[in-house]
């Protein structure tokens, strides 16, 4: 069964329709990249999947492991294994990173009928997973995202994903604002998590990230719809020829 | 405190009702309602007080009579006039008013403490906290007295201090909060029934935290306790105060006075968890909490630190203050005030700088939910004599919902050009973004709000003594349950 099946999805915010019939299927083990120009609806797709209330779904359906995703509350989606790495991670002043994560990890474990993780096991796990993304151990002691640099915030998102072990990881422009070294670290973290029963949707504006996280499928999103899908080489064509070219040649097969 | 412990408290589930709202049925001896010179004499006689104590009370009572047109109305709170003739001013558990050991205490009373989570027996064994417990008006048991006596520390009920240490009581009582200070301080001075007394001798560092629990039990009674703490030169003491009351439909009056004297290079840390019954959701019942707390840094390098968590009472009116008289003395005020339902809090501090190079810090965190109103009111006064005085004030307000109010009333009186005064204030709402971020990590809304509120109060909870911080977090969590949405 597909992990994620999006069928003819329409969504609007206030009176602006942003997604206009988006269809996408993601199978276990797959890495999907969604590329598109500014304003094409990439981040809206991430927000709708995570359950942000400002967006209203007007048509279509989303199945997650065969279940109606749109029917679940945002925290239930998370406990069911949907993880969103935020483009702009939110600061929680005074809330310690470790306290926050322990709350999150144990909420998910409880949902799965597992016992809460003991203190020592939790610390050990956090230490290992933080090392995956070169997260400075002192960051774990600080408040959630407070005073983190842009790069630290993004690495912290991947660290949280590693702790929560989702079935579906959605990365919303995780590469934006990262220098090349940080980009590599983030990509390594994601690659480390790839497995046969887990899938990813990586949303990005630039091809650059896909040098490090190699996708199985690349989709081009323009004006709320996927206009073209292809292998990893599609990203290179886009980089070379630009989104305008794609709009004009959406129906032609991809050649490099 | 480590995050592991923090998480453990956060996971504790408790019901959202006021869980201290039980009534204990032990026999009580209660004075008839009403206030007159006879009432004052009755209280003094009950307590077998010396003549000087009665005279002081009567002076206070006569002064209070002159204040009837000066009923304080300036605070940002609303309440009906209090009928001072409709209150009983004395109630004592009648079975054996004094105890030599815990074994003699009414078992039902001990059970009350068990339910409050402050088992004296248990604490005696485990926690190393000396407790003076005041139920209604009389101090029923003071633990650890012998061990403290070895250090020369006096920790007893106020009544005992009047009997056994009259020279100290006469010297210091009213020296920081005179009986003429304000309406409620005068009333307290006339009718106070008991309280705690503490003296730490020169150079002694009190080896354990001293603790007082106040509880109003009998119906229709007011509680008027008085606390006097004297820290002699170079001494140190950390003092904890907790308060609860049963659930009752009528309002109960609590008007306490706390005086602290810190001599040269002495340090007093005073922490309060105030959880008087706040009334029901519609504002029926609850404790009117009108309290005067003040300390004086009487010598150079003295330090007084007030920390409070205010979650209870239908009305809180209280401004724990420090007079910085000695040079280089330090005053601190750390406060979390949480209001919900129809609660009203008007609380803050006064830092009066008299000495040179004196420093004060004020950090106030107000959290408002429901239809409540939460005000910070603070005075920083730098006198002509106070060269190089410094103050830092930070007042943050957090709103949960859109029907509550947060207000800040800072007063600054600066009379010396070298003063350095900073004031920061913020008001924020718990953001949708913050809650969504927590949700996306699998954390439900109520738990998310608890995390965010605990984070908001972190600086204050961090300065509470360990076991008090545990209780404070639990209490905040309980208060937050069902207070949102």
């Amino acid at each position: 069964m597909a992990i994620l099946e999006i069928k003819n999805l329409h969504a609007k915010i206030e009176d602006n329709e942003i997604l206009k019939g988006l269809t996408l299927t993601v199978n276990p083990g797959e890495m999907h990249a969604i590329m598109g120009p500014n304003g094409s609806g990439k981040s809206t797709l991430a927000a709708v999947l995570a359950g942000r209330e400002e967006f209203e779904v007007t048509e279509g359906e989303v199945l997650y492991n065969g279940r109606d995703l749109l029917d679940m509350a945002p925290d239930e989606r998370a406990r069911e294994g949907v993880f969103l790495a935020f483009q702009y991670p939110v600061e929680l002043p005074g809330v310690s990173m470790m306290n926050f994560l322990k709350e999150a990890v144990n909420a998910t474990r409880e949902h799965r009928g597992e016992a809460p993780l003991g203190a020592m096991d939790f610390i050990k796990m956090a230490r290992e997973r933080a090392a995956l993304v070169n997260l400075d151990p002192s960051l774990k002691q600080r408040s959630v995202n407070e005073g983190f640099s842009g790069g630290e915030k993004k690495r912290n998102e991947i660290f949280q994903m590693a702790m929560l072990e989702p079935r579906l990881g959605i990365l919303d422009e995780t590469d934006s604002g990262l220098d090349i070294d940080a980009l590599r670290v983030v990509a390594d973290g994601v690659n480390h998590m790839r497995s046969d029963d887990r899938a990813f949707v990586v949303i990005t504006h630039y091809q650059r990230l896909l040098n490090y996280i190699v996708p199985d499928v690349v989709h081009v999103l323009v004006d709320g719809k996927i206009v073209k899908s292809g292998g990893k080489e599609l990203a290179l064509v886009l980089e070379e020829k630009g989104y305008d070219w794609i709009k004009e040649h959406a129906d032609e097969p991809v050649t490099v | 405190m480590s995050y592991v412990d923090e998480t453990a408290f956060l996971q504790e589930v408790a019901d959202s009702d006021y869980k201290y709202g039980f009534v204990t049925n032990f026999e009580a001896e209660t004075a008839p309602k009403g206030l007159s010179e006879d009432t004052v004499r009755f209280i003094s006689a009950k307590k077998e007080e010396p003549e000087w104590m009665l005279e002081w009370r009567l002076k206070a009572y006569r002064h209070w009579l002159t204040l009837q047109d000066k009923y304080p109305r300036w605070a940002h709170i609303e309440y009906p006039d209090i009928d001072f003739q409709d209150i009983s001013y004395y109630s004592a558990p009648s079975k054996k008013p004094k105890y030599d050991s815990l074994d003699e205490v009414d078992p039902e009373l001990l059970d009350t403490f068990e339910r409050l989570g402050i088992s004296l027996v248990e604490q005696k064994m485990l926690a190393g906290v000396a407790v003076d417990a005041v139920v209604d008006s009389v101090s029923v048991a003071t633990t650890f007295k012998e061990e403290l006596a070895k250090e020369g520390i006096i920790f007893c009920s106020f009544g005992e201090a009047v009997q056994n240490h009259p020279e100290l009581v006469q010297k210091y009582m009213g020296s920081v909060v005179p009986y003429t200070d304000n309406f409620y301080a005068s009333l307290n001075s006339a009718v106070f029934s008991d309280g705690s007394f503490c003296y730490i001798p020169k150079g002694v560092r009190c080896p354990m935290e001293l603790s007082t629990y106040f509880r109003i039990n009998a119906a229709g009674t007011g509680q008027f306790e008085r606390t006097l703490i004297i820290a002699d030169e170079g001494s140190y003491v950390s003092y904890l105060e907790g308060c609860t009351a049963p659930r009752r439909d009528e309002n109960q009056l609590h008007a306490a006075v706390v005086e602290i004297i810190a001599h040269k290079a002495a340090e007093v840390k005073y922490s309060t968890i105030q959880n008087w019954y706040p009334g029901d959701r519609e504002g029926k019942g609850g404790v009117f909490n009108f309290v005067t707390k003040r300390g004086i840094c009487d010598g150079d390098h003295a330090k007084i630190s007030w920390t409070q968590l205010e979650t209870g009472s239908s009305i809180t009116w209280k401004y724990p203050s420090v007079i910085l008289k000695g040079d280089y003395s330090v005053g601190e005020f750390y406060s979390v005030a949480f209001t919900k339902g129809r609660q009203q809090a008007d609380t803050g501090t006064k830092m009066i700088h008299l000495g040179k190079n004196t420093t004060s810090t004020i950090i106030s965190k107000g959290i408002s939910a429901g239809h409540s109103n939460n005000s910070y009111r603070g005075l920083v006064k730098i006198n002509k004599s106070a060269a190089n005085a410094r103050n830092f004030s930070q007042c943050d307000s957090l709103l949960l919902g859109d029907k509550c109010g947060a207000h800040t009333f800072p007063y600054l009186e600066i009379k010396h050009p070298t003063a350095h005064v900073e004031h920061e204030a913020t008001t924020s709402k718990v953001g949708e973004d913050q809650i969504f971020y927590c949700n996306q990590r699998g954390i439900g809304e109520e738990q998310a709000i608890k995390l965010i509120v605990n984070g908001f109060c972190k600086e204050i909870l961090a300065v509470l003594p360990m076991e008090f911080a545990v209780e404070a977090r639990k209490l905040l969590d309980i208060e937050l349950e069902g207070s949102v949405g």
Side-chain angles (χ1 to χ4, degrees):
Chain A
M1 194 200 311
I3 286 185
L4 184 68
E5 255 189 295
I6 304 173
K7 294 175 192 162
N8 189 33
L9 184 66
H10 291 250
K12 64 174 190 177
I13 182 164
E14 288 162 3
D15 286 332
N16 293 331
E17 186 170 51
I18 315 258
L19 299 181
K20 302 171 180 173
L22 189 147
T23 296
L24 174 69
T25 300
V26 178
N27 293 305
E30 290 179 350
M31 175 75 67
H32 287 243
I34 295 184
M35 302 184 69
N38 290 330
S40 59
K42 301 190 299 290
S43 287
T44 298
L45 173 62
V48 168
L49 292 177
R52 277 215 85 121
E53 278 179 9
E54 304 93 286
F55 296 93
E56 189 191 338
V57 172
T58 51
E59 210 183 321
E61 68 172 345
V62 180
L63 298 179
Y64 172 69
N65 296 323
R67 281 183 60 195
D68 183 358
L69 183 73
L70 302 178
D71 198 37
M72 297 182 213
D75 50 326
E76 191 190 351
R77 298 182 196 194
R79 290 193 291 267
E80 283 283 326
V82 177
F83 183 93
L84 172 65
F86 283 60
Q87 184 178 3
Y88 304 108
V90 178
E91 297 186 3
L92 303 176
V95 178
S96 91
M97 192 60 221
M98 293 304 265
N99 202 358
F100 173 75
L101 255 184
K102 188 144 194 266
E103 200 71 51
V105 167
N106 283 334
T108 302
R109 290 179 67 92
E110 190 188 335
H111 184 71
R112 292 178 189 152
E114 295 166 4
L117 210 53
M120 295 318 289
D121 290 336
F122 178 77
I123 292 166
K124 185 164 172 277
M125 180 176 169
R127 195 180 292 139
E128 286 168 8
R129 309 278 157 104
L132 280 182
V133 285
N134 272 348
L135 199 67
D136 182 341
S138 73
L139 289 186
K140 291 185 294 178
Q141 306 303 326
R142 302 222 307 251
S143 299
V144 178
N145 293 321
E146 199 184 28
F148 285 31
S149 72
E152 284 167 344
K153 282 182 181 169
K154 297 300 178 74
R155 275 186 280 158
N156 189 27
E157 293 292 290
I158 304 303
F159 166 54
Q160 292 178 53
M161 181 163 77
M163 289 296 288
L164 290 166
E165 302 178 330
R167 273 212 87 196
L168 175 65
I170 303 160
L171 278 61
D172 187 9
E173 306 220 12
T174 298
D175 51 332
S176 66
L178 289 186
D179 64 29
I180 197 73
D181 292 328
L183 189 70
R184 200 174 285 151
V185 168
V186 162
D188 284 350
V190 175
N191 287 331
H192 192 89
M193 289 186 68
R194 291 181 79 160
S195 74
D196 290 343
D197 59 357
R198 182 175 287 152
F200 291 90
V201 174
V202 177
I203 291 167
T204 179
H205 189 80
Y206 301 104
Q207 182 272 337
R208 191 178 68 149
L209 177 66
L210 305 181
N211 289 335
Y212 302 97
I213 299 176
V214 180
D216 300 302
V217 192
V218 175
H219 307 275
V220 182
L221 184 64
V222 177
D223 195 23
K225 270 191 270 195
I226 287 174
V227 295
K228 201 168 189 68
S229 301
K232 61 178 189 250
E233 62 285 354
L234 178 57
L236 296 168
V237 175
L238 268 179
E239 184 82 351
E240 187 190 330
K241 301 191 171 168
Y243 288 113
D244 286 338
W245 177 85
I246 282 287
K247 287 179 200 167
E248 287 158 26
H249 299 83
D251 301 328
E252 297 169 18
V254 179
T255 49
V256 180
Chain B
M1 183 177 306
S2 77
Y3 65 85
V4 180
D5 297 329
E6 289 177 71
T7 310
F9 321 138
L10 292 171
Q11 282 169 348
E12 282 194 39
V13 179
D15 60 81
S16 64
D17 289 335
Y18 183 75
K19 74 167 185 174
Y20 303 99
F22 53 87
V23 178
T24 307
N25 295 313
F26 49 79
E27 295 168 40
E29 191 178 355
T30 303
K33 284 182 178 175
L35 181 54
S36 65
E37 283 206 11
D38 287 345
T39 319
V40 176
R41 288 176 194 281
F42 171 83
I43 293 167
S44 189
K46 272 281 161 204
K47 302 187 69 63
E48 299 162 24
E49 284 176 350
E51 189 61 24
W52 59 265
M53 191 68 249
L54 174 63
E55 282 308 313
W56 197 78
R57 287 175 180 277
L58 288 171
K59 274 195 282 182
Y61 174 68
R62 286 166 197 151
H63 181 78
W64 181 73
L65 286 178
T66 69
L67 298 177
Q68 299 311 302
D69 56 342
K70 290 183 181 136
Y71 193 55
R73 282 286 178 206
W74 42 265
H76 190 71
I77 49 182
E78 285 176 21
Y79 58 100
D81 287 340
I82 296 170
D83 182 355
F84 291 95
Q85 298 304 331
D86 194 37
I87 293 171
S88 167
Y89 288 85
Y90 188 80
S91 170
S94 66
K95 278 189 196 166
K96 275 210 173 189
K98 281 178 186 168
Y99 307 95
D100 293 328
S101 80
L102 283 176
D103 305 335
E104 295 175 38
V105 174
D106 188 334
E108 196 167 353
L109 190 53
L110 286 180
D111 182 54
T112 304
F113 293 128
E114 297 271 358
R115 278 195 275 170
L116 289 170
I118 50 151
S119 149
L120 296 173
V121 184
E122 215 173 48
Q123 286 201 15
K124 207 169 179 179
M125 311 238 315
L126 300 171
V129 177
V131 176
D132 183 22
V134 178
V135 169
D136 289 340
S137 302
V138 171
S139 181
V140 291
T142 306
T143 56
F144 277 109
K145 211 179 271 182
E146 292 157 32
E147 281 170 80
L148 292 169
K150 281 182 210 153
E151 305 269 359
I153 294 167
I154 304 166
F155 179 44
C156 62
S157 73
F158 203 93
E160 282 176 76
V162 168
Q163 303 294 343
N164 302 333
H165 307 284
E167 69 297 342
L168 287 173
V169 176
Q170 279 180 287
K171 183 172 176 190
Y172 291 107
M173 180 180 65
S175 69
V176 193
V177 181
Y179 65 78
T180 52
D181 192 78
N182 67 68
F183 187 91
Y184 290 105
S186 295
L187 179 64
N188 173 288
S189 301
V191 301
F192 76 90
S193 31
D194 214 327
S196 293
F197 176 88
C198 172
Y199 172 80
I200 315 289
K202 261 184 202 177
V204 171
R205 198 179 162 85
C206 186
M208 60 188 76
E209 264 138 8
L210 302 183
S211 176
T212 302
Y213 271 81
F214 295 110
R215 178 163 172 85
I216 300 176
N217 198 55
T221 55
Q223 176 146 338
F224 306 92
E225 80 276 353
R226 228 183 147 88
T227 299
L228 179 57
I229 299 172
I230 303 141
D232 217 328
E233 286 182 18
S235 66
Y236 168 84
V237 63
S238 169
Y239 195 91
L240 318 176
E241 173 202 275
C243 324
T244 61
R247 180 196 306 268
R248 295 206 184 272
D249 286 345
E250 86 275 11
N251 295 110
Q252 288 175 293
L253 177 63
H254 173 250
V257 170
V258 177
E259 295 179 278
I260 298 175
I261 297 98
H263 286 291
K264 188 177 168 188
E267 181 177 349
V268 178
K269 194 174 151 85
Y270 195 105
S271 311
T272 304
I273 292 186
Q274 186 267 106
N275 186 28
W276 298 116
Y277 179 52
D280 66 12
R281 269 173 187 264
E282 276 69 49
K284 192 171 187 204
V287 172
F288 289 167
N289 189 34
F290 296 97
V291 171
T292 306
K293 291 184 168 181
R294 195 177 301 146
I296 184 166
C297 290
D298 206 26
D300 297 350
H301 298 282
K303 179 176 176 183
I304 293 175
S305 190
W306 298 100
T307 305
Q308 59 175 22
L309 173 65
E310 302 283 319
T311 63
S313 299
S314 61
I315 292 175
T316 296
W317 178 97
K318 121 179 215 203
Y319 314 91
S321 304
V322 184
I323 299 167
L324 297 142
K325 188 176 162 202
D327 294 345
Y328 297 96
S329 59
V330 176
E332 293 173 336
F333 173 74
Y334 301 108
S335 170
V336 171
F338 177 82
T339 53
K340 68 178 183 184
R342 301 275 171 178
Q343 281 178 280
Q344 307 176 72
D346 191 302
T347 184
T349 184
K350 292 183 201 171
M351 292 291 175
I352 315 289
H353 292 254
L354 305 178
K356 298 180 187 66
N357 300 300
T358 45
T359 311
S360 63
T361 304
I362 299 170
I363 299 181
S364 163
K365 304 274 184 176
I367 303 149
S368 327
H371 291 80
S372 69
N373 254 312
N374 201 326
S375 303
Y376 166 81
R377 187 184 301 278
L379 168 69
V380 176
K381 185 171 181 175
I382 311 249
N383 233 40
K384 274 181 280 190
S385 54
N388 298 314
R390 288 177 168 268
N391 163 266
F392 174 75
S393 303
Q394 183 186 331
C395 306
D396 298 327
S397 305
L398 188 67
L399 300 171
L400 307 176
D402 52 12
K403 295 190 175 59
C404 47
H407 316 270
T408 304
F409 304 97
Y411 304 83
L412 299 173
E413 289 179 29
I414 315 294
K415 303 265 172 61
H416 199 287
T418 59
H420 189 103
V421 175
E422 286 176 69
H423 181 89
E424 290 177 10
T426 65
T427 301
S428 52
K429 281 187 80 165
V430 171
E432 294 288 315
D433 280 357
Q434 292 176 321
I435 292 174
F436 182 73
Y437 191 74
C438 294
N439 285 165
Q440 214 303 306
R441 300 304 184 244
I443 301 166
E445 181 170 2
E446 191 159 278
Q447 202 59 22
I449 287 167
K450 285 182 188 177
L451 273 175
I452 292 164
V453 169
N454 263 295
F456 176 74
C457 303
K458 192 180 195 172
E459 291 157 276
I460 310 298
L461 298 177
V463 295
L464 281 173
M466 175 71 172
E467 59 272 38
F468 236 37
V470 173
E471 193 176 327
R473 272 168 206 279
K474 272 191 209 164
L475 188 58
L476 262 184
D477 280 1
I478 292 167
E479 293 298 322
L480 283 165
E481 308 231 338
S483 68
V484 185

